[in-house]
């Protein structure tokens, strides 16, 4: 199994993602390094999706901003076989990203892990958005 980790906006999430993927029994597990971490520019979801196509992975684990990179990858025709989305930042999503999130959830097996009171979108808001058939695990916080 090939796993791709798409960490969050901050470089500190890279080590966290690497540790998480290290717990999986995967043949290969790669963690994306974003260009804006090096050059200080604004994050570019489409650019990162091109650099780290999720379709190359059997499983994509995405955290926060990484979920947006995953959606951009899917929009470019690069969907993984399955995905885990951690801390989906609903408050930062555009209407198009919300539509893409619905499409992703309908297209491949997805597990959403969301904090009860996540400041970017609560678990209840995610449940309301995705409906009762979505696989959502609620965690404290």
């Amino acid at each position: 199994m090939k796993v791709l980790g798409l960490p969050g906006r901050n470089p500190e999430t890279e080590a966290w993602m690497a540790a998480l993927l290290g717990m999986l029994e995967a043949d290969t597990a790669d963690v994306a390094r974003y260009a804006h971490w090096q050059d200080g520019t604004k994050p570019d979801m489409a650019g990162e999706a091109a650099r780290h196509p999720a379709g190359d992975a059997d499983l994509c684990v995405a955290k926060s901003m990484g979920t947006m990179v995953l959606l951009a990858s899917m929009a470019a025709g690069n969907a993984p076989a399955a995905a885990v989305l951690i801390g989906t930042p609903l408050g930062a999503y555009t209407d198009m990203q919300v539509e893409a999130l619905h499409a992703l959830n309908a297209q491949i097996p997805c597990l959403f892990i969301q904090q009860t009171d996540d400041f970017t979108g609560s678990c209840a808001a995610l449940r309301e958005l995705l409906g009762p058939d979505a696989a959502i695990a609620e965690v404290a916080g």
Side-chain angles (χ1 to χ4, degrees):
M1 173 171 67
K2 183 175 181 182
V3 181
L4 172 63
L6 297 173
R9 179 183 184 111
N10 298 317
E12 294 80 20
T13 61
E14 180 184 19
W16 177 87
M17 181 64 73
L20 178 64
L21 297 189
M23 292 186 242
L24 302 176
E25 294 181 15
D27 297 324
T28 61
D30 298 316
V31 177
R33 291 188 54 80
Y34 300 136
H36 76 272
W37 290 350
Q38 270 65 46
D39 60 23
T41 60
K42 183 178 174 187
D44 174 10
M45 306 311 158
E48 294 301 344
R51 290 181 57 225
H52 310 288
D56 290 347
D58 299 306
L59 173 65
C60 182
V61 179
K63 180 196 181 317
S64 193
M65 187 195 93
T67 68
M68 298 168 139
V69 175
L70 172 58
L71 295 179
S73 189
M74 182 188 152
N78 289 307
V84 176
L85 292 84
I86 303 168
T88 304
L90 294 178
Y93 271 34
T94 65
D95 290 343
M96 286 179 48
Q97 287 169 320
V98 168
E99 289 177 27
L101 188 65
H102 279 284
L104 179 73
N105 191 41
Q107 183 177 339
I108 65 171
C110 293
L111 170 62
F112 296 86
I113 301 173
Q114 194 78 5
Q115 289 182 327
T116 301
D117 296 315
D118 191 310
F119 71 95
T120 66
S122 68
C123 187
L126 185 64
R127 282 186 201 283
E128 185 177 326
L129 178 72
L130 294 176
D133 294 332
I136 301 173
E138 184 172 349
V139 295

